Amino acid sequence: MATATASAPKRSTPTTGRRDEFEVVKQRGRKLRIGIVVAAILATGILFGLVAFQAIIVTNQTTLDDLDARISQAERQNARLRLEVAELEAPDRIRAMALALGMEKPESVAYLEPIDVAELGEPLVPAVEDEGEVQ
Amino acid sequence: MTVASAYQPGRRIIVLLLVLVVAIGALVFQLLRLQVLDNERYLAWGEDQRMRTESLLGKRGDIVDRNGEELAISLQAPVIVADPLLVTDPAAQAEALAPVLGAEVADIEAALSSPGRFVYLARPTTEAVAEEVRKLGQDGVFIREEPERFHPNDESLARGVLGQVGVDNTGLSGLEAQYEDVLAGTAGQRVTERGINGKSIPEGVREMLPAVDGAAIELTIDRALQFEVERALRSSVEANGAQGGTVIISDPSTGEVLAMASVATTDTGRVATTSDNRAITWTYEPASVMKAITFSAVLNEGEATPTSKRVIPSKIDLWEETFTDETDYGTKWMSTSEILRRSSNTGTITWAGELEEPTFYQYLKDFGFGQSTGLGFPGESPGILDPVETWPGTHYATIALGQSIGVTPMQMLAAYNVIANDGVYLNPRLVKSIGGEPTYPTQERHVIEPEIADDMAEMLAGVVSGGTASRAQVPGYNIAAKTGTARKIQESGGYVDSAGYFHYIATVAGFFPAEDPQLSMIVVIDEPATDIYASQVAAPLFGELAAWSLRHYRVSPAGDVVFGSDDDLSAVGPSAATVPDGAGD
């Protein structure tokens, strides 16, 4: 019995006479191979893609962990600097520094009262009208 | 035939098959054990290895002053811990660790050899010590971080007010204990899935319950004023050889406490800030500072005016008690203002007798005596004020003079604030806001009429300008204040100690400027050795701190403006000539 070969016609043949013995069979083997190859390539590609994606995730996770650690470190440093600033601004430190620099606490305080300008009378130096006339 | 019979390939195959069946059976059994029978245990074991649960501690809230300056803040500080199971050589490791941690070798070795898997070696410690320990790189010894409370100004500033926290960061005393539920944060938790190198497993389990930080508390305290008050108080107590002292400065219009300090002389003779807030927790008989309260009641009841005069004897017999003034002047016409200025005991008793006892008692309650101020401070004393029904015959007289009544310095200042605040009582406050939410006075009541408060302010200004509190004067300002020198009750219950001596407490309470009170203050000096009288011991400190705080808050001088040198200042400054030393104090 004849089997489907590569040379089998692709067109439909009359169903009468001796030719009825022949049957057109689709060429499955070749397509299957192509399909397998394509599928293999796709699968390999997907696998590579997944691996690459996982690698990116791992890298990003590491970066995230590093960032977390840096945030914690920065927060700790910020708190320590805040403490340092507060210590530098502390009154006891400022007082000690002032005394070390030779400053002294005044015995008393003198208050100044603003004087009414109108009570001063005529100014001792005449007002300058022309710069050229000033002696 | 023998050979042929010995060679039985079927048996070998059967044996081989049996071996294979047994082997496969063992594998299947192991598979079943791992996946079905004991799967929960191995699952848990695996999770235990991968899952890491970290406790996230909420940061304890800061305590800041009224200007936002930090008074107490929390930071992560290193602690040295050990897992004794992982320690390889406890003796050698302890030998190396002890000098770094500043501990005994035996103690460290005992800790490293203890049962269990966790022990503290140093808690807390410094970064420098942690670095040294890190360099040693010992097995089973680790460095962790825990929150620690820091006081940036120094440990003593406002120590009694702020209080302390324990090693577990929990408030033990003072405001730290009072506001523990506000300051303490809520702990959170972070669960992560980690690999063998401690790194997070990507897309692994990651659960987070964030910690909630404690709320910050803003105090009414002014850091700069607090520092100056503590410095001046220490200096005064030291100079007067006193046992201790207390100063409170407040804003009478709001009840806000701007500075509150207590110091005591230690066994070594050093004067240091006390950890107990004696301004609120200590009760004593205030003596003559109470006379201002007595006259406030007398004037408000319409029994007298500032100019009302009476003949006052220098000695009064009341029931079985005899009350005298400082000097024997026989009898004398004195106005209420003069009685207050001279701090006359007999004059005060004479006018207090015009008040019905229940009326006088109600005034004392309205002024805030015998009850909590509403601060809610741990250990706050309500003072001692006997119910009027139990008063013996002389009680009204002794209370009018500031005896037979126990007050805290805070209560007395709050009472003076009534006079300074147009006759309205406002409960004192130490906290301005919690977590940004402002607080308000919880007690507000009308005690005396505003015009009576004005009269009293004028009378008290007379005590400073020409009375017992003259050394509290501040050039350029009108100061209103009253002195009080009290005998101190001894442990035996009487006023005399086992050696037969009296001990004294000197007080000055008042406000300034008298015509428009911006600030109020009480100064208490406990058992001064140089002089017993408040006019000599407490008044100078009152004047010094009044001058400083008036400058600090830029309150303009209202009286005569003073120019020039110190000589000029002395001409208008404190004068001891107006009143004999300590007379009627």
Side-chain angles (χ1 to χ4, degrees), chain A residues 4-74:
Chain A
T5 64
S7 60
K10 290 181 182 176
R11 290 184 289 114
S12 303
T13 54
T15 56
T16 56
R18 287 182 63 210
R19 287 182 179 266
D20 286 349
E21 296 175 7
F22 295 99
E23 183 183 356
V24 177
V25 178
K26 288 184 178 176
Q27 195 179 33
R28 289 194 304 174
R30 189 180 174 194
K31 285 186 177 177
L32 186 65
R33 281 199 299 274
I34 292 170
I36 289 169
V37 168
V38 170
I41 291 169
L42 273 174
T44 309
I46 289 169
L47 280 174
F48 269 107
L50 283 173
V51 169
F53 186 62
Q54 286 297 321
I56 290 169
I57 288 174
V58 169
T59 309
N60 285 344
Q61 184 62 54
T62 308
T63 309
L64 205 60
D65 285 350
D66 289 344
L67 282 173
D68 273 346
R70 282 170 60 188
I71 288 169
S72 298
Q73 195 178 359

Coordinates of all heavy atoms in Angstrom, one line a residue, chain A residues 4-74:
Chain A
A4 N 1.9 7.9 2.2 CA 2.1 9.4 1.8 C 3.6 9.7 1.8 O 4.4 9.2 2.7 CB 1.4 10.2 2.9
T5 N 4.0 10.3 0.8 CA 5.4 10.7 0.7 C 5.5 12.1 0.5 O 4.5 12.8 0.3 CB 6.1 9.9 -0.5 OG1 5.4 10.4 -1.7 CG2 6.0 8.4 -0.4
A6 N 6.8 12.6 0.4 CA 7.0 14.0 0.2 C 6.5 14.5 -1.2 O 6.2 15.6 -1.4 CB 8.5 14.3 0.3
S7 N 6.5 13.5 -2.1 CA 6.1 13.8 -3.5 C 4.6 13.8 -3.7 O 4.1 14.0 -4.8 CB 6.7 12.9 -4.5 OG 6.3 11.6 -4.2
A8 N 3.8 13.5 -2.7 CA 2.4 13.4 -2.8 C 1.8 14.7 -3.2 O 2.3 15.8 -2.7 CB 1.8 12.9 -1.5
P9 N 0.8 14.7 -4.1 CA 0.3 16.0 -4.6 C -0.5 16.6 -3.4 O -1.1 16.0 -2.6 CB -0.6 15.6 -5.7 CG -1.0 14.2 -5.5 CD 0.2 13.6 -4.9
K10 N -0.5 17.9 -3.5 CA -1.2 18.7 -2.4 C -2.6 18.9 -2.8 O -3.4 19.1 -1.9 CB -0.5 20.0 -2.2 CG 0.8 19.8 -1.5 CD 1.5 21.2 -1.3 CE 2.8 21.0 -0.7 NZ 3.5 22.2 -0.5
R11 N -2.9 18.8 -4.1 CA -4.3 19.1 -4.5 C -5.2 17.9 -4.2 O -4.7 16.7 -4.2 CB -4.4 19.4 -6.0 CG -3.8 20.8 -6.3 CD -4.0 21.1 -7.8 NE -3.1 20.3 -8.7 CZ -3.6 19.4 -9.5 NH1 -4.9 19.2 -9.6 NH2 -2.8 18.7 -10.3
S12 N -6.5 18.0 -4.2 CA -7.4 16.9 -4.1 C -7.5 16.2 -5.4 O -7.3 16.7 -6.5 CB -8.8 17.5 -3.7 OG -8.7 18.2 -2.6
T13 N -7.6 14.9 -5.3 CA -7.7 14.1 -6.5 C -9.0 13.5 -6.6 O -9.8 13.3 -5.6 CB -6.6 13.0 -6.4 OG1 -6.8 12.3 -5.2 CG2 -5.2 13.5 -6.4
P14 N -9.4 13.2 -7.8 CA -10.7 12.5 -8.0 C -10.8 11.3 -7.2 O -9.8 10.5 -7.1 CB -10.8 12.3 -9.5 CG -9.8 13.2 -10.1 CD -8.7 13.3 -9.1
T15 N -12.0 10.9 -6.8 CA -12.1 9.7 -5.9 C -12.6 8.5 -6.8 O -13.0 7.5 -6.2 CB -13.2 10.0 -4.9 OG1 -14.4 10.4 -5.5 CG2 -12.7 11.1 -3.9
T16 N -12.5 8.6 -8.0 CA -13.0 7.5 -8.9 C -11.7 6.8 -9.4 O -10.6 7.3 -9.4 CB -13.8 8.0 -10.1 OG1 -13.0 9.0 -10.8 CG2 -15.1 8.7 -9.6
G17 N -11.9 5.5 -9.9 CA -10.9 4.7 -10.5 C -9.9 4.2 -9.5 O -10.1 4.2 -8.3
R18 N -8.7 4.0 -10.1 CA -7.6 3.4 -9.3 C -7.0 4.4 -8.2 O -6.5 4.0 -7.3 CB -6.5 2.9 -10.2 CG -6.8 1.7 -11.0 CD -5.7 1.3 -11.9 NE -4.5 0.9 -11.1 CZ -3.3 1.1 -11.5 NH1 -3.1 1.6 -12.7 NH2 -2.3 0.7 -10.8
R19 N -7.2 5.6 -8.6 CA -6.6 6.6 -7.7 C -7.3 6.6 -6.3 O -6.8 7.2 -5.4 CB -6.7 8.0 -8.3 CG -5.7 8.1 -9.5 CD -5.8 9.5 -10.1 NE -4.8 9.6 -11.1 CZ -3.6 10.1 -11.0 NH1 -3.2 10.5 -9.8 NH2 -2.8 10.1 -12.0
D20 N -8.4 5.9 -6.3 CA -9.1 5.8 -5.0 C -8.3 5.1 -3.9 O -8.4 5.3 -2.7 CB -10.4 5.0 -5.1 CG -11.5 5.8 -5.8 OD1 -11.2 7.0 -6.0 OD2 -12.5 5.2 -6.2
E21 N -7.3 4.4 -4.3 CA -6.4 3.7 -3.4 C -5.5 4.6 -2.7 O -4.9 4.3 -1.6 CB -5.6 2.6 -4.1 CG -6.4 1.5 -4.7 CD -5.5 0.5 -5.5 OE1 -4.3 0.7 -5.5 OE2 -6.1 -0.3 -6.2
F22 N -5.3 5.8 -3.3 CA -4.3 6.7 -2.6 C -5.0 7.6 -1.7 O -6.2 8.0 -1.9 CB -3.6 7.5 -3.7 CG -2.7 6.6 -4.6 CD1 -3.2 6.2 -5.9 CD2 -1.5 6.2 -4.2 CE1 -2.4 5.4 -6.7 CE2 -0.7 5.4 -5.0 CZ -1.1 5.0 -6.2
E23 N -4.3 8.0 -0.7 CA -4.9 8.9 0.3 C -3.8 10.0 0.6 O -2.7 9.7 0.8 CB -5.2 8.2 1.6 CG -5.8 9.0 2.7 CD -6.0 8.3 4.0 OE1 -5.7 7.0 4.0 OE2 -6.4 8.9 5.0
V24 N -4.3 11.2 0.6 CA -3.4 12.3 0.9 C -3.2 12.4 2.4 O -4.2 12.6 3.1 CB -3.9 13.6 0.3 CG1 -2.9 14.7 0.6 CG2 -4.0 13.4 -1.2
V25 N -2.0 12.3 2.8 CA -1.7 12.4 4.3 C -0.9 13.7 4.5 O 0.0 14.0 3.7 CB -0.9 11.2 4.7 CG1 -0.6 11.3 6.2 CG2 -1.7 9.9 4.4
K26 N -1.3 14.4 5.5 CA -0.6 15.6 5.8 C 0.9 15.3 6.3 O 1.1 14.3 6.9 CB -1.3 16.4 6.9 CG -2.6 17.0 6.5 CD -3.2 17.8 7.6 CE -4.5 18.5 7.1 NZ -5.2 19.2 8.1
Q27 N 1.7 16.2 5.9 CA 3.2 16.0 6.2 C 3.4 16.4 7.6 O 3.8 17.6 7.9 CB 4.0 16.8 5.2 CG 5.4 16.4 5.2 CD 6.2 17.2 4.2 OE1 5.9 18.3 3.9 NE2 7.2 16.5 3.5
R28 N 3.2 15.6 8.6 CA 3.2 16.0 10.0 C 4.6 16.0 10.6 O 4.9 16.8 11.4 CB 2.3 15.0 10.8 CG 0.9 15.1 10.6 CD 0.1 14.4 11.6 NE 0.4 13.0 11.7 CZ 0.0 12.2 12.6 NH1 -0.8 12.6 13.5 NH2 0.4 10.9 12.6
G29 N 5.4 15.1 10.2 CA 6.7 15.0 10.8 C 7.5 16.2 10.7 O 8.1 16.7 11.7
R30 N 7.6 16.9 9.6 CA 8.4 18.1 9.5 C 7.9 19.2 10.3 O 8.6 19.9 11.0 CB 8.3 18.5 8.0 CG 9.3 19.6 7.7 CD 9.2 19.9 6.2 NE 10.1 21.1 5.9 CZ 10.0 21.7 4.8 NH1 9.1 21.4 3.9 NH2 10.8 22.8 4.6
K31 N 6.6 19.4 10.3 CA 6.0 20.4 11.1 C 6.2 20.2 12.6 O 6.5 21.1 13.4 CB 4.5 20.5 10.9 CG 4.1 21.2 9.5 CD 2.6 21.4 9.4 CE 2.3 22.1 8.1 NZ 0.9 22.2 7.9
L32 N 6.1 18.9 12.9 CA 6.3 18.6 14.3 C 7.8 18.9 14.8 O 8.0 19.5 15.8 CB 6.1 17.1 14.5 CG 6.2 16.6 16.0 CD1 5.1 17.2 16.8 CD2 6.1 15.1 16.0
R33 N 8.7 18.6 13.9 CA 10.1 18.9 14.2 C 10.3 20.4 14.4 O 10.9 20.9 15.3 CB 11.0 18.4 13.1 CG 11.3 16.9 13.2 CD 12.5 16.5 12.5 NE 12.3 16.7 11.1 CZ 11.8 15.9 10.2 NH1 11.3 14.7 10.6 NH2 11.7 16.2 8.9
I34 N 9.7 21.1 13.4 CA 9.8 22.6 13.5 C 9.1 23.1 14.8 O 9.7 24.0 15.5 CB 9.1 23.3 12.2 CG1 9.9 22.9 11.0 CG2 9.0 24.8 12.4 CD1 9.2 23.3 9.7
G35 N 8.0 22.5 15.0 CA 7.3 22.9 16.3 C 8.1 22.7 17.5 O 8.2 23.5 18.4
I36 N 8.7 21.5 17.5 CA 9.6 21.1 18.7 C 10.7 22.1 18.8 O 11.1 22.6 19.9 CB 10.1 19.7 18.5 CG1 8.9 18.7 18.8 CG2 11.2 19.4 19.5 CD1 9.2 17.3 18.4
V37 N 11.3 22.4 17.6 CA 12.5 23.3 17.7 C 12.1 24.7 18.2 O 12.7 25.3 19.1 CB 13.1 23.4 16.3 CG1 14.1 24.6 16.2 CG2 13.8 22.1 15.9
V38 N 10.9 25.1 17.6 CA 10.4 26.5 18.1 C 10.1 26.4 19.6 O 10.5 27.3 20.3 CB 9.2 26.9 17.2 CG1 8.5 28.1 17.9 CG2 9.6 27.1 15.8
A39 N 9.4 25.3 20.0 CA 9.1 25.2 21.4 C 10.3 25.2 22.3 O 10.4 25.9 23.3 CB 8.2 24.0 21.6
A40 N 11.3 24.5 21.8 CA 12.6 24.4 22.5 C 13.2 25.7 22.7 O 13.7 26.1 23.7 CB 13.5 23.4 21.9
I41 N 13.2 26.4 21.5 CA 13.8 27.8 21.5 C 13.1 28.7 22.5 O 13.6 29.4 23.3 CB 13.9 28.4 20.1 CG1 14.9 27.6 19.2 CG2 14.2 29.9 20.1 CD1 14.8 27.9 17.8
L42 N 11.7 28.6 22.4 CA 10.9 29.4 23.2 C 11.1 29.1 24.7 O 11.3 30.0 25.6 CB 9.4 29.2 22.9 CG 8.8 30.1 21.8 CD1 7.4 29.7 21.5 CD2 8.9 31.6 22.2
A43 N 11.1 27.8 25.0 CA 11.3 27.3 26.4 C 12.6 27.8 26.9 O 12.7 28.3 28.0 CB 11.2 25.8 26.4
T44 N 13.7 27.6 26.0 CA 15.0 28.1 26.4 C 15.0 29.6 26.7 O 15.6 30.1 27.7 CB 16.0 27.7 25.3 OG1 15.9 26.3 25.0 CG2 17.5 28.0 25.8
G45 N 14.3 30.3 25.8 CA 14.3 31.7 25.9 C 13.6 32.1 27.2 O 14.0 33.0 28.0
I46 N 12.4 31.4 27.4 CA 11.7 31.8 28.7 C 12.5 31.4 29.9 O 12.5 32.2 30.8 CB 10.3 31.0 28.7 CG1 9.4 31.6 27.6 CG2 9.7 31.0 30.0 CD1 8.2 30.7 27.3
L47 N 13.2 30.3 29.8 CA 14.0 29.9 31.0 C 15.1 30.9 31.2 O 15.4 31.4 32.3 CB 14.7 28.5 30.7 CG 13.7 27.3 31.0 CD1 14.4 26.0 30.6 CD2 13.4 27.3 32.5
F48 N 15.8 31.3 30.1 CA 16.8 32.4 30.2 C 16.2 33.7 30.8 O 16.8 34.4 31.6 CB 17.5 32.7 28.9 CG 18.7 31.8 28.7 CD1 18.6 30.7 27.8 CD2 19.9 32.0 29.4 CE1 19.8 29.9 27.6 CE2 21.0 31.2 29.2 CZ 20.9 30.2 28.3
G49 N 15.0 34.0 30.2 CA 14.3 35.2 30.7 C 14.0 35.1 32.2 O 14.2 36.0 32.9
L50 N 13.5 33.9 32.6 CA 13.2 33.7 34.0 C 14.5 33.8 34.9 O 14.5 34.5 36.0 CB 12.5 32.4 34.3 CG 11.1 32.3 33.9 CD1 10.6 30.8 34.0 CD2 10.2 33.2 34.7
V51 N 15.5 33.2 34.4 CA 16.8 33.3 35.1 C 17.3 34.7 35.3 O 17.7 35.2 36.3 CB 17.9 32.4 34.5 CG1 19.3 32.6 35.1 CG2 17.5 30.9 34.6
A52 N 17.2 35.4 34.1 CA 17.6 36.8 34.1 C 16.7 37.6 35.1 O 17.2 38.5 35.8 CB 17.5 37.4 32.7
F53 N 15.4 37.3 35.0 CA 14.5 38.0 35.9 C 14.8 37.8 37.3 O 14.8 38.7 38.2 CB 13.1 37.6 35.5 CG 12.0 38.4 36.2 CD1 11.9 39.7 36.0 CD2 11.1 37.7 37.1 CE1 10.9 40.4 36.7 CE2 10.2 38.4 37.8 CZ 10.0 39.8 37.6
Q54 N 15.1 36.5 37.6 CA 15.4 36.1 39.0 C 16.7 36.9 39.4 O 16.8 37.3 40.6 CB 15.6 34.6 39.1 CG 14.3 33.8 39.1 CD 13.4 34.2 40.3 OE1 13.9 34.4 41.4 NE2 12.1 34.3 40.1
A55 N 17.7 36.9 38.5 CA 18.9 37.6 38.8 C 18.7 39.1 39.1 O 19.3 39.6 40.1 CB 19.9 37.4 37.6
I56 N 17.8 39.6 38.3 CA 17.5 41.1 38.6 C 16.8 41.2 39.9 O 17.1 42.1 40.7 CB 16.5 41.6 37.4 CG1 17.3 41.7 36.1 CG2 16.0 43.0 37.8 CD1 16.5 42.0 34.9
I57 N 15.9 40.3 40.2 CA 15.2 40.3 41.5 C 16.2 40.2 42.7 O 16.2 41.0 43.6 CB 14.2 39.2 41.6 CG1 13.0 39.5 40.7 CG2 13.7 39.0 43.1 CD1 11.9 38.5 40.7
V58 N 17.2 39.2 42.5 CA 18.2 39.1 43.5 C 19.0 40.3 43.7 O 19.3 40.8 44.8 CB 19.1 37.8 43.2 CG1 20.3 37.8 44.2 CG2 18.3 36.6 43.3
T59 N 19.4 40.9 42.6 CA 20.2 42.1 42.6 C 19.4 43.2 43.3 O 20.0 43.9 44.1 CB 20.6 42.5 41.2 OG1 21.2 41.4 40.5 CG2 21.6 43.7 41.2
N60 N 18.2 43.4 42.9 CA 17.4 44.4 43.4 C 17.1 44.2 44.9 O 17.1 45.1 45.7 CB 16.0 44.5 42.7 CG 16.2 45.2 41.4 OD1 17.2 45.8 41.1 ND2 15.2 45.0 40.5
Q61 N 17.0 42.9 45.3 CA 16.8 42.6 46.7 C 18.0 43.0 47.5 O 17.9 43.6 48.6 CB 16.5 41.1 46.9 CG 16.2 40.7 48.3 CD 14.9 41.4 48.9 OE1 13.9 41.3 48.2 NE2 15.0 42.1 50.0
T62 N 19.2 42.7 47.0 CA 20.4 43.1 47.6 C 20.5 44.6 47.8 O 20.9 45.1 48.8 CB 21.6 42.5 46.8 OG1 21.4 41.1 46.6 CG2 22.9 42.7 47.6
T63 N 20.1 45.2 46.6 CA 20.2 46.7 46.7 C 19.2 47.2 47.7 O 19.5 48.2 48.5 CB 19.8 47.3 45.3 OG1 20.6 46.7 44.3 CG2 20.0 48.8 45.3
L64 N 18.0 46.6 47.8 CA 17.0 47.0 48.8 C 17.5 46.8 50.2 O 17.3 47.7 51.1 CB 15.7 46.2 48.6 CG 14.4 46.8 49.0 CD1 14.1 48.1 48.3 CD2 13.3 45.8 48.8
D65 N 18.1 45.6 50.4 CA 18.7 45.4 51.8 C 19.8 46.4 52.1 O 19.8 46.9 53.2 CB 19.3 44.0 51.8 CG 18.3 42.9 51.9 OD1 17.1 43.2 52.1 OD2 18.6 41.7 51.7
D66 N 20.6 46.7 51.1 CA 21.7 47.8 51.4 C 21.0 49.1 51.7 O 21.5 49.8 52.6 CB 22.6 47.9 50.1 CG 23.5 46.6 50.0 OD1 23.6 45.9 51.0 OD2 24.0 46.5 48.9
L67 N 20.0 49.4 50.9 CA 19.3 50.7 51.1 C 18.7 50.8 52.5 O 18.8 51.8 53.2 CB 18.2 51.0 50.1 CG 18.8 51.4 48.7 CD1 17.6 51.5 47.7 CD2 19.4 52.8 48.8
D68 N 18.1 49.6 52.9 CA 17.5 49.6 54.3 C 18.5 49.8 55.3 O 18.3 50.6 56.3 CB 16.9 48.2 54.5 CG 15.4 48.1 54.0 OD1 14.9 49.2 53.8 OD2 14.9 47.0 53.9
A69 N 19.7 49.1 55.1 CA 20.8 49.3 56.1 C 21.3 50.7 56.1 O 21.5 51.3 57.2 CB 21.9 48.4 55.7
R70 N 21.4 51.3 54.9 CA 21.8 52.7 54.8 C 20.9 53.7 55.5 O 21.2 54.7 56.1 CB 22.1 53.1 53.4 CG 23.4 52.5 52.9 CD 23.6 52.7 51.4 NE 23.6 54.1 51.0 CZ 23.6 54.5 49.7 NH1 23.6 53.6 48.7 NH2 23.6 55.8 49.4
I71 N 19.6 53.4 55.3 CA 18.5 54.3 55.9 C 18.7 54.2 57.4 O 18.7 55.2 58.1 CB 17.1 53.8 55.4 CG1 16.9 54.2 54.0 CG2 16.0 54.4 56.3 CD1 15.6 53.6 53.4
S72 N 18.8 53.0 57.9 CA 18.9 52.8 59.4 C 20.2 53.5 59.9 O 20.1 54.2 60.9 CB 19.0 51.3 59.7 OG 17.9 50.6 59.3
Q73 N 21.3 53.4 59.1 CA 22.5 54.0 59.5 C 22.4 55.5 59.5 O 22.8 56.2 60.4 CB 23.6 53.6 58.6 CG 25.0 53.9 59.1 CD 26.1 53.4 58.2 OE1 25.8 52.8 57.2 NE2 27.3 53.6 58.6
A74 N 21.7 56.0 58.4 CA 21.5 57.5 58.3 C 20.6 58.0 59.5 O 20.9 59.1 60.0 CB 20.9 57.8 57.0

